[in-house]
């Protein structure tokens, strides 16, 4: 049987220990020809004696050719058949051969030969002497690698209670090499194969406990350091395989605590100058975790640990995949020697390229960043011991130095393996559980007289291996990712003067320490790859910290420290630096601290440090013209607010549009030749993103350059690179959205501080005469078309009405055409844009445009894409809002001109959409309410409409009663309220009336969401006539439901709903007074009975309602004190007249009860005023 082979790559094979090929030459291939072993052949039967040399000769040939023979598996099986288990020397050699061939060529063993070879090895382990077990286990490890699913029937022998691997890997096993081989075999068994079943839970548990036991064990004096490191590495790889391949979820506290404890222990394994003792388990706690440091003697031998070796290997050019640590394989023994030089001399070299830059020098901020106590050098105190030591200073010979270098490399591999395992563990632990161990891995400010706790930042600052430092930063980034909710409790804005330290202050202290340590690492780092990780970690931290709750200053330090790295020679560092700046301008924008940073003069920005200034961009003086100082009226139409252009804005624009002036760096080699003219594409894209975030968060600062930024967007959309075009369109959208926000009715921006409409018209004229129409029709790039649609929908309505007629027609025509796109993304964006345009005052009264838009939206409403249907439903809701606005403003003429067939089609489509998923349903029911409100008497009388109306009403009622999302039910209640506003509908007479009132009464009493209750109470108070409420029984049921709802207005299981209880009581009280003002004589007995039973409670709520002052309720209506009193007096007057007619017939005193409420309110008001 023939099998394809993989080219020689021993260094990448996980089962191959480091340096194995060098330590074990191919002596076993010559074993049958060397004289010392002739006696072995003499003891074999004759057939075997003649077959073995020939067979092993073929195997040797397999090893010498560039690729092994395809029948190598069959040869191995044949060798095992010839070698009996009682010939232990030969068994050992055959196992060495299996191990070597499979590792070297990564041969895929077929199932038949695999079963035979596995059976042979397992039998050999059971029968042969212990001196052969290491070689047998090595062969077994090579066989099971990536073959775990095919080994199921052998698992009881290997991993059962008395399994061979369990026995050999036991902590009581005296032979550490045997234990290591067993652990490696077990780790290979845990590797997952895509599409194949994984280990059973029982076997996973056995493996996990075995690996955990290995990691918890301590090195004994008879075990050499390298062997122990390899043992730990194998155990770490095994746990990582369980976490990744087995999708293992760590749930139990003791399991999580034990794993995190050993990982923390291994993270610092062999780290020079540091030795910690860890408990067997960590426990979740907000306080710093226990870690006891062992004193490290400063012996003469310690500096030799850092000796530079002369055999340093060249750095690999291959790029590692993002987010992965990669397979160790044949580890570079010089990795530990490639340490960062963190002394003062290296700092000078590292910062030499930015010393002449107007940026702040990182060294001048080091003490500010680090908050080091007075009298201590913030850098030398930490890094003196890490300086390189010349060979003349070392007392070791070259051989001893080589051993030390090799040992450091293996120790670094253990630390990297622990960090890689930790990264996998983070994905397997719920974040809310993980953050219970925050203080064990994230630094906290040291207390007075206490040492700094060891954490991930200890590795990032002190580990001599750049790769290990990068791994630690990756893990820290993973912990910080998604930590916004956890960190949101941090607060130290007010001085803490309590007898205890609140948790919020503890977290704030940890955040500050993280900033300090990361900025210290930033200044000290010399490796570009690790530097990139530091900046990415800072960006992740900035994105999740609640700076508004902390004392200002943290972002200023980050801002000033990152500036020099924008000019770094490595493109990846520059890109990540821009990412960090983008995080700063986007976090909780706008922040006063960031506003001040953005307003720094350009002398704080770029000069001649590698990036060109924007003075060559079109009219150069637009970037340099003198602008009015703050507080003075702007001279230019866009309203300038600073004396010079924002340096970050200048930086981004210069990177985006100006040709590069400096020569290419080494890291530019991966980018296309286009980057020889402009900056590398990733740098330009990141600059565009930062610019978009700056416009989004700090539009008042960017609006001074509104037209210039529009030109930048135009330039980008005119380029050939679709990614540049896409981000140019996104910048355009943010500029349009910024203007829209300024012109919102509730905007706090003064009219004279807004971008003038004339400037907005000029802006959009430039876009429509430029690349935007072509971009919208660029069908090969659907994402680009989608962004262009979104940008076009961000046009200011007032500006659209001032555009030339042909430009308005162009916009509408493009959107209507794109609504028929085959791409769902484009179609959804076009449908949404039409929903925006239908609200424009200059378009909504155009019956033809409304009709065309309605037909286009209804087409999209039946699309197979859920996203398209959701956007179309939203637009249909907006379109029906337009119908109501036109009905109220234009009047009868618009209703008569609008097509009855189209209206019927809208009604039926919305009814059908109300049965769709919730994202479609919420807007479909809104549209139904509007259409039913819009219907005229002749529509309702039309037989074609009658069935559609009945179906739509039933759809609304069933939606109110359904278990849909609260947003859907809220919209359904709102829609029924709109239905009740149409006087042409037979409200109170038709059978659906009872169902509608019953559904709303049920919701107002029992819905968990108070907003839905408020909207249902509002709907119940809309009918303006008593006849609309139907029979006395129906009226009294509504009254009773509202009374019950009032009494339950504070009953909620969700604390977040409690803040709406006051609004709910206000709306219910309004509804009750409305019902009383319409009540008939037949209604009063039930009303009086309710008052007799619950009079005191109702009275207290009504008094609270009357004295609550000016308040905006959920319905959006302002009701002041006098209006509420007027409604109450009107109800008293109405009821008093009815009760006079009932004198002698019924003893009801509702008006007297209300009069007493009013009197109490008046007395309370007088006392308050007095």
């Amino acid at each position: 049987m023939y099998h394809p082979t993989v080219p020689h790559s021993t260094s990448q094979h996980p089962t191959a220990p480091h340096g194995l090929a060098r330590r074990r030459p191919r002596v076993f291939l010559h074993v049958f020809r060397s004289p010392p072993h002739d006696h072995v052949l003499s003891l074999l039967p004759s057939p075997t004696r003649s077959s073995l040399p020939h067979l092993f000769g073929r195997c040797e040939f397999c090893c010498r050719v560039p690729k092994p023979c395809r029948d190598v598996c069959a040869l191995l099986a044949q060798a095992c058949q010839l070698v009996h288990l009682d010939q232990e020397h030969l068994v050992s050699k055959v196992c060495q051969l299996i191990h070597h061939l499979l590792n070297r060529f990564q041969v895929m063993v077929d199932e038949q030969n695999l079963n035979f070879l596995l059976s042979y090895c397992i039998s050999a382990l059971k029968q042969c002497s212990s001196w052969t077990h290491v070689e047998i286990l090595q062969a077994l490890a090579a066989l099971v690698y990536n073959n775990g699913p095919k080994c199921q029937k052998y698992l009881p022998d290997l991993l059962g209670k008395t399994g061979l691997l369990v026995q050999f890997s036991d902590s009581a096993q005296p032979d550490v090499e045997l234990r290591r081989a067993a652990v490696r075999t077990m780790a290979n068994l845990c590797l997952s194969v895509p599409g194949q079943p994984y280990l059973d839970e029982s076997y996973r548990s056995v493996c996990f406990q075995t690996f955990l036991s290995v990691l918890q064990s301590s090195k004994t004096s008879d075990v050499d350091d390298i062997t122990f490191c390899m043992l730990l590495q194998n155990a770490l790889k095994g746990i990582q395989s369980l976490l990744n391949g087995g999708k293992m979820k760590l749930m139990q506290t003791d399991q999580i605590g034990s794993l995190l404890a050993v990982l923390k222990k291994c993270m610092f394994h062999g780290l020079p100058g540091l030795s910690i003792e860890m408990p067997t388990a960590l426990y979740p706690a907000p306080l710093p975790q226990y870690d006891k440091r062992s004193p490290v003697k400063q012996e003469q031998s310690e500096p030799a640990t850092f000796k530079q070796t002369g055999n340093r290997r060249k750095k690999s050019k291959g790029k590692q995949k993002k987010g992965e640590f990669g397979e160790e394989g044949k580890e570079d023994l010089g990795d530990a020697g490639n340490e960062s030089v963190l002394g003062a001399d290296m700092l000078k070299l590292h910062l030499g390229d930015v010393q002449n830059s107007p940026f702040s020098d990182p060294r001048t901020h080091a003490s500010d960043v680090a908050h080091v106590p007075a009298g201590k050098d913030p850098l030398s105190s930490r890094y003196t011991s890490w300086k390189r030591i010349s060979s003349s200073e070392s007392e070791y010979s070259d051989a001893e130095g080589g051993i030390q270098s090799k040992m450091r490399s293996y120790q670094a591999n253990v630390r990297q393996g622990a960090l890689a395992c930790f990264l996998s563990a983070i994905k397997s632990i719920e974040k809310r559980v993980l953050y219970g161990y925050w203080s064990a891995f994230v630094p906290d400010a040291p207390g007075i007289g206490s040492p700094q706790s060891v954490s991930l930042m200890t590795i990032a600052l002190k580990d001599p291996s750049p790769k290990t430092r990068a791994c630690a930063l990756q893990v820290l980034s993973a912990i910080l990712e998604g930590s916004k909710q956890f960190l949101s409790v941090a607060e130290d804005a007010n001085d803490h003067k309590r007898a205890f330290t609140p948790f919020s202050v503890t977290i704030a202290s940890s955040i500050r320490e993280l900033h300090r340590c990361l900025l210290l690492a930033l200044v000290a780092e010399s490796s570009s790859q690790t530097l990139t990780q530091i900046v990415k970690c800072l960006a992740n931290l900035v994105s999740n910290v609640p700076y508004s709750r902390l004392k200002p200053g943290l972002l200023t330090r980050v801002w000033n420290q990152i500036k020099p790295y924008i000019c770094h020679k490595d493109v990846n560092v520059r890109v990540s630096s821009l990412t960090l700046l983008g995080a700063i301008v986007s976090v909780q924008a706008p922040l006063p601290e960031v506003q001040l940073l953005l307003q720094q003069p350009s002398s704080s920005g770029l000069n001649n440090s590698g990036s060109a200034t924007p003075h060559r961009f079109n009219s150069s003086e637009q970037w340099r013209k003198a602008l009015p100082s703050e507080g003075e009226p702007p001279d230019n139409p866009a309203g300038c607010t600073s004396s010079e252009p924002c340096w970050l804005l200048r930086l981004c624009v210069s990177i985006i549009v100006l040709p590069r002036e400096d020569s290419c760096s080494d890291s530019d080699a991966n980018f296309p030749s286009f980057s020889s003219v402009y900056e590398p594409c990733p740098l330009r894209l990141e600059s565009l993103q930062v610019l978009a975030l700056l416009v989004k968060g700090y539009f008042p600062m960017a609006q001074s350059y509104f037209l210039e930024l529009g030109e930048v967007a135009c330039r980008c959309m005119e380029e050939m690179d679709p990614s540049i075009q896409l981000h140019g369109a996104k910048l355009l959208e943010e500029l349009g959205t910024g203007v829209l926000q300024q012109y919102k009715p509730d905007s706090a921006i003064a009219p004279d501080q807004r971008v003038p409409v004339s400037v907005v018209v000029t802006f959009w004229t430039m876009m429509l005469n430029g690349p935007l129409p072509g971009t919208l029709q660029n069908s090969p790039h659907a994402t680009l078309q989608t962004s262009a649609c979104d940008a076009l929908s961000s046009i200011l309505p007032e500006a659209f009405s001032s555009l030339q007629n042909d430009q308005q027609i162009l916009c509408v025509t493009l959107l209507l055409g794109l609504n028929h796109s085959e791409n769902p993304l484009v179609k959804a964006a076009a449908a949404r844009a039409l929903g925006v345009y239908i609200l424009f005052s200059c378009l909504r009264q155009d019956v033809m445009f409304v009709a065309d838009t309605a037909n286009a939206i209804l087409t999209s409403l039946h699309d197979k894409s859920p996203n398209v249907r959701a956007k179309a439903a939203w637009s249909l809701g907006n379109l029906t809002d337009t119908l109501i606005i036109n009905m109220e403003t234009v009047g009868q003429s618009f209703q008569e001109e609008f097509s009855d067939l189209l209206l019927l089609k809208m009604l039926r489509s919305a009814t059908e959409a109300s049965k769709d998923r919730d994202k479609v349903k919420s807007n479909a029911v809104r549209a139904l309410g509007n259409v039913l409100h819009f219907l005229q008497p002749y529509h309702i009388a039309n037989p074609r409409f009658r069935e559609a109306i009945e179906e739509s009403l039933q759809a609304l009622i069933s939606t109110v009663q359904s278990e849909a999302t609260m947003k859907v039910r809220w919209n359904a209640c709102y829609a029924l309220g709109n239905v009740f506003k149409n006087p042409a509908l037979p409200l109170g007479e038709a059978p659906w009336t009872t169902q509608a009132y019953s559904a709303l009464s049920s919701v107002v009493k029992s819905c968990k969401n108070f907003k839905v209750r408020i909207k249902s109470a509002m709907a119940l108070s809309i009918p303006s006539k008593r006849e609309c409420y139907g029979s006395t029984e129906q009226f009294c049921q509504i009254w009773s439901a509202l009374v019950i709802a009032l009494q339950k207005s504070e009953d909620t299981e969700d604390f977040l709903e409690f803040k709406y209880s006051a609004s709910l009581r206000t709306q219910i009280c309004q509804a009750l007074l409305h019902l009383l003002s319409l009540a008939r004589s037949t209604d009063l007995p039930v009303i009086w009975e309710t008052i007799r039973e619950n009079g005191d409670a109702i009275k207290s709520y009504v008094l609270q309602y009357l004295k609550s002052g000016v308040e905006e309720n959920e319905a959006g209506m302002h009701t002041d004190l006098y209006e509420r009193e007027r409604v109450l007096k009107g109800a008293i007057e109405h009821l008093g007249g009815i009760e006079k007619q009932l004198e002698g017939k019924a003893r009801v005193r509702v008006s007297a009860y209300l009069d007493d409420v009013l009197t109490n309110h008046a007395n309370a008001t007088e006392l308050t005023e007095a």
Side-chain angles (χ1 to χ4, degrees), residues 766-778 788 810 814:
M766 175 174 64
M767 295 300 154
L768 293 170
N769 291 335
L772 187 56
T775 304
L776 284 163
Q777 298 174 73
N778 191 354
L810 174 64
L814 285 171

Side-chain angles (χ1 to χ4, degrees), residues 2-146:
Y2 294 95
H3 302 279
T5 57
V6 181
H8 170 42
S9 182
T10 306
S11 63
Q12 295 179 359
H13 201 289
T15 59
H18 308 310
L20 175 67
R22 294 190 296 277
R23 295 204 319 272
R24 294 187 183 275
R26 291 180 298 168
V27 294
F28 52 84
L29 298 179
H30 305 275
V31 66
F32 299 100
R33 295 183 295 176
S34 53
H37 303 294
D38 287 342
H39 67 282
V40 177
L41 288 176
S42 65
L43 297 174
L44 295 174
S46 178
T48 306
R49 278 203 305 272
S50 61
S51 301
L52 276 176
H54 173 69
L55 180 63
F56 280 87
R58 291 177 64 191
C59 290
E60 183 174 9
F61 173 74
C62 290
C63 294
R64 287 179 176 175
V65 294
K67 292 185 179 181
C69 295
R70 296 177 126 189
D71 57 349
V72 63
C73 298
L75 287 173
L76 292 174
Q78 189 177 353
C80 291
Q81 287 174 345
L82 292 173
V83 176
H84 299 293
L85 296 179
D86 55 352
Q87 303 297 327
E88 294 183 347
H89 185 81
L90 292 179
V91 170
S92 172
K93 298 304 177 184
V94 167
C95 288
Q96 289 181 37
L97 181 64
I98 293 171
H99 176 230
H100 180 79
L101 289 179
L102 295 186
N103 274 0
R104 180 173 180 180
F105 300 112
Q106 297 187 4
V107 178
M108 297 295 294
V109 186
D110 62 281
E111 192 163 356
Q112 182 180 353
N113 284 318
L114 177 67
N115 286 332
F116 176 78
L117 293 171
L118 283 174
S119 298
Y120 182 84
C121 289
I122 291 171
S123 299
L125 283 173
K126 292 178 179 179
Q127 297 181 33
C128 294
S129 302
S130 59
W131 69 269
T132 64
H133 287 175
V134 172
E135 284 77 12
I136 298 170
L137 284 172
Q138 287 175 347
L140 191 60
L143 286 168
V144 301
Y145 178 75
N146 269 343

Side-chain angles (χ1 to χ4, degrees), residues 968-984:
V968 173
R969 299 179 73 186
W970 187 95
N971 275 311
C973 293
Y974 173 81
L976 276 180
N978 270 341
V979 172
F980 294 165
K981 292 176 182 177
N982 190 343

Side-chain angles (χ1 to χ4, degrees), residues 966 969-970 973 1000-1020 1042 1044-1053 1057 1060-1061 1063-1065 1067-1068 1114:
M966 297 309 167
R969 299 179 73 186
W970 187 95
C973 293
L1000 291 171
S1001 298
S1002 174
V1003 167
V1004 80
K1005 290 187 295 184
S1006 59
C1007 184
K1008 293 180 180 179
N1009 187 282
F1010 276 22
K1011 283 188 174 182
V1012 178
R1013 288 199 207 182
I1014 291 168
K1015 194 54 66 175
S1016 62
M1018 187 206 74
L1020 289 171
L1042 288 170
I1044 294 171
L1046 187 62
Q1047 293 174 313
K1048 296 170 67 176
S1049 60
E1050 295 181 0
D1051 298 345
T1052 177
E1053 297 176 359
E1057 295 297 324
Y1060 301 112
S1061 60
S1063 297
L1064 175 59
R1065 286 192 294 274
Q1067 191 61 60
I1068 293 174
E1114 182 67 18

Side-chain angles (χ1 to χ4, degrees), residues 598-773:
L598 290 170
Q599 290 168 0
Q600 286 180 350
S602 61
S603 57
S604 302
L606 293 172
N607 187 9
N608 57 355
S609 51
S611 294
T613 52
H615 65 278
R616 285 175 289 160
F617 169 56
N618 286 348
S619 56
S620 60
E621 296 309 310
Q622 287 183 348
W623 294 99
R624 296 180 175 273
K625 58 187 175 182
L627 303 176
S629 59
E630 191 172 355
E632 295 180 4
D635 292 334
N636 69 16
C640 301
T641 57
S642 60
S643 59
E644 293 185 6
C646 166
W647 77 266
L648 182 57
L649 188 145
R650 291 178 59 226
L651 168 70
C652 293
V653 171
S654 66
I655 292 173
I656 295 164
V657 301
L658 293 184
R660 63 188 304 174
E661 293 181 348
D662 57 339
S663 59
C664 296
S665 66
D666 294 339
S667 57
D668 294 347
N670 296 320
F671 303 115
S673 59
F674 181 71
S675 64
S676 62
V677 179
Y678 290 99
E679 294 286 357
C681 187
L683 197 61
R684 300 179 74 211
L685 290 175
E686 198 63 42
S687 297
L688 276 166
Q689 291 188 54
V690 173
L691 207 54
L693 291 170
L694 182 62
V695 170
K696 182 179 181 179
Y698 299 87
F699 185 76
M701 188 167 294
Q703 76 180 66
S704 304
Y705 314 101
F706 185 68
L707 293 178
E708 289 85 348
L709 291 172
E711 290 185 53
V712 173
C714 274
R715 286 275 295 272
C716 291
M717 288 191 289
E718 287 170 350
E719 292 194 14
M720 299 300 294
D721 188 340
S723 58
I724 298 290
Q725 291 178 300
L726 175 64
H727 284 82
K730 290 185 179 296
L731 174 60
L732 173 58
E733 181 187 357
E734 291 297 346
L735 289 166
T737 304
V739 176
L740 283 175
Q741 295 293 330
Q742 286 192 337
Y743 279 85
K744 275 189 171 182
D746 58 349
S747 173
I749 306 295
D752 61 335
Q753 296 296 318
R754 300 172 182 174
V755 180
V757 174
S758 59
V759 174
V760 183
V761 172
T762 303
F763 175 87
W764 283 106
T765 300
M766 175 174 64
M767 295 300 154
L768 293 170
N769 291 335
L772 187 56

Side-chain angles (χ1 to χ4, degrees), residues 212-393:
L212 205 59
S213 174
V214 169
L215 296 174
Q216 289 171 339
S217 62
S218 301
K219 187 180 86 67
T220 56
S221 57
D222 58 333
V223 178
D224 68 275
D225 290 321
I226 291 179
T227 302
F228 188 67
C229 286
M230 294 170 72
L231 175 64
L232 295 178
Q233 274 184 272
N234 290 324
L236 288 167
K237 287 179 182 177
I239 289 184
Q240 190 177 4
S241 296
L242 285 172
L243 294 172
N244 291 345
K247 307 295 181 185
M248 185 176 178
K249 289 296 179 186
L250 299 170
M251 305 295 290
Q252 300 174 4
T253 303
D254 56 344
Q255 190 182 49
I256 296 171
S258 299
L259 176 61
L260 294 183
V262 295
L263 290 180
K264 184 170 183 180
K265 176 185 173 184
C266 293
M267 278 161 40
F268 299 100
H269 180 77
L271 186 61
L274 184 68
S275 177
I276 63 170
E277 294 179 10
M278 291 297 300
T280 55
L282 295 177
Y283 296 97
L287 301 175
Q289 295 279 358
Y290 166 87
D291 57 357
K292 181 181 177 183
R293 297 202 213 185
S294 299
V296 180
K297 295 181 180 179
Q298 298 296 327
E299 300 176 355
Q300 289 183 341
S301 60
E302 183 184 341
T305 309
F306 306 99
K307 178 185 171 187
Q308 282 289 99
T309 62
N311 299 326
R312 241 172 86 181
R313 295 176 176 237
K314 290 185 179 179
K315 202 168 188 179
S316 173
K317 296 276 186 182
K319 281 191 78 174
Q320 189 170 301
K321 289 185 180 180
K322 183 179 178 182
E324 294 180 6
F325 294 122
E327 192 62 60
E328 301 301 342
K330 196 187 294 180
E331 178 61 32
D332 182 64
L333 294 181
D335 182 62
N338 190 23
E339 61 252 18
S340 170
V341 183
L342 304 176
D345 294 338
M346 187 56 197
L347 283 175
K348 290 178 183 177
L349 291 173
H350 178 55
L351 301 174
D353 58 335
V354 294
Q355 281 180 351
N356 297 324
S357 168
F359 284 125
S360 304
D361 192 324
R363 290 169 295 164
T364 63
H365 291 278
S367 59
D368 179 39
V369 171
H371 299 295
V372 177
K376 291 189 178 181
D377 183 355
L379 295 178
S380 62
S381 63
R382 280 174 166 76
Y383 304 123
T384 302
S385 63
W386 302 99
K387 293 180 182 178
R388 284 195 177 98
I389 296 172
S390 66
S391 58
S392 61
E393 296 174 292

Side-chain angles (χ1 to χ4, degrees), residues 661-929:
E661 293 181 348
D662 57 339
S663 59
C664 296
S665 66
D666 294 339
S667 57
D668 294 347
N670 296 320
F671 303 115
S673 59
F674 181 71
S675 64
S676 62
V677 179
Y678 290 99
E679 294 286 357
C681 187
L683 197 61
R684 300 179 74 211
L685 290 175
E686 198 63 42
S687 297
L688 276 166
Q689 291 188 54
V690 173
L691 207 54
L693 291 170
L694 182 62
V695 170
K696 182 179 181 179
Y698 299 87
F699 185 76
M701 188 167 294
Q703 76 180 66
S704 304
Y705 314 101
F706 185 68
L707 293 178
E708 289 85 348
L709 291 172
E711 290 185 53
V712 173
C714 274
R715 286 275 295 272
C716 291
M717 288 191 289
E718 287 170 350
E719 292 194 14
M720 299 300 294
D721 188 340
S723 58
I724 298 290
Q725 291 178 300
L726 175 64
H727 284 82
K730 290 185 179 296
L731 174 60
L732 173 58
E733 181 187 357
E734 291 297 346
L735 289 166
T737 304
V739 176
L740 283 175
Q741 295 293 330
Q742 286 192 337
Y743 279 85
K744 275 189 171 182
D746 58 349
S747 173
I749 306 295
D752 61 335
Q753 296 296 318
R754 300 172 182 174
V755 180
V757 174
S758 59
V759 174
V760 183
V761 172
T762 303
F763 175 87
W764 283 106
T765 300
M766 175 174 64
M767 295 300 154
L768 293 170
N769 291 335
L772 187 56
T775 304
L776 284 163
Q777 298 174 73
N778 191 354
S779 55
H781 300 287
T783 309
L784 180 58
Q785 280 184 296
T786 302
S787 290
C789 266
D790 292 337
L792 194 59
S793 67
S794 67
I795 187 169
L796 185 69
E798 292 88 336
F800 183 86
S801 61
S802 300
L803 289 174
Q804 295 181 4
N805 191 49
D806 59 337
Q807 290 176 328
Q808 293 183 6
I809 294 172
L810 174 64
C811 293
V812 172
T813 304
L814 285 171
L815 292 177
L816 288 171
L818 289 173
N819 195 72
H820 298 285
S821 171
E822 294 181 0
N823 187 283
L825 290 175
V826 178
K827 195 169 185 177
R832 180 191 170 276
L834 287 171
V836 173
Y837 276 46
I838 198 65
L839 296 174
F840 289 1
S841 57
C842 61
L843 292 176
R844 68 184 178 215
Q845 295 179 7
D846 185 338
V847 177
M848 293 303 297
F849 171 72
V850 174
D852 289 343
T853 302
N855 281 312
I857 290 171
L858 292 177
T859 301
S860 296
L861 196 61
H862 295 92
D863 195 86
K864 62 182 180 181
S865 167
N867 187 41
V868 173
R869 297 200 303 274
K871 300 293 185 184
W874 179 82
S875 295
L876 183 62
N878 286 3
L879 189 146
T880 55
D881 286 342
T882 293
L883 296 183
I884 301 301
I885 294 170
N886 287 339
M887 181 180 71
E888 294 171 351
T889 56
V890 179
Q892 194 73 22
S893 60
F894 182 86
Q895 292 170 295
E896 292 174 353
E897 289 182 40
F898 197 77
S899 168
D900 291 350
L901 287 176
L902 183 56
L903 193 64
L904 180 60
K905 187 178 178 183
M906 290 168 61
L907 191 61
R908 287 174 174 165
S909 296
T911 303
E912 187 66 27
S914 69
K915 302 170 186 175
D916 206 328
R917 58 182 63 194
D918 284 354
K919 284 187 177 180
V920 180
K921 187 184 296 186
S922 61
N923 285 297
V925 294
R926 177 165 72 99
L928 277 179

